Amino acid sequence: MIPGVGFDCSGLTAWAWGRAGVRLPHYSRYQQQVTDPVDPADAQPGDLLFFYNPISHVGMYLGNGLMIDASAPGKPIGVHGFKWKSVVAVGRPR
């Protein structure tokens, strides 16, 4: 989270999981490293979806092919569809 501006992608996921009592680091690559790997076929709402190589974006899976993410500070948080072939990893916070 960037005070007075909004969320970046990993700030949003860290904030959301923090509300559930789970601490996540603030960078998408680090979030992928501290979550349990999940096969995309077994993804559940709340799992984190990681994009690009090296990983540089994260969103939260909502189910039914939808995710929520913050693309950049100052831009609105969005709910939208995604393509599984674009996902490089799925992680479940513990």
Side-chain angles (χ1 to χ4, degrees):
M1 183 167 94
I2 300 174
V5 177
F7 290 105
D8 61 3
C9 64
S10 60
L12 174 63
T13 54
W15 178 85
W17 272 100
R19 299 294 125 317
V22 177
R23 186 170 174 359
L24 291 173
H26 183 186
Y27 295 100
S28 54
R29 222 170 307 171
Y30 299 147
Q31 289 183 358
Q32 190 269 331
Q33 293 171 0
V34 301
T35 55
D36 293 329
V38 174
D39 186 292
D42 297 325
Q44 297 177 4
D47 287 344
L48 301 183
L49 307 175
F50 298 98
F51 299 86
Y52 308 115
N53 191 4
I55 290 170
S56 57
H57 186 65
V58 60
M60 186 179 302
Y61 185 52
L62 298 176
N64 297 320
L66 296 174
M67 65 178 274
I68 185 168
D69 70 346
S71 60
K75 292 197 175 183
I77 293 169
V79 173
H80 50 86
F82 64 93
K83 295 184 175 160
W84 280 108
K85 69 180 182 179
S86 300
V87 176
V88 298
V90 179
R92 185 165 296 148
R94 40 187 126 120

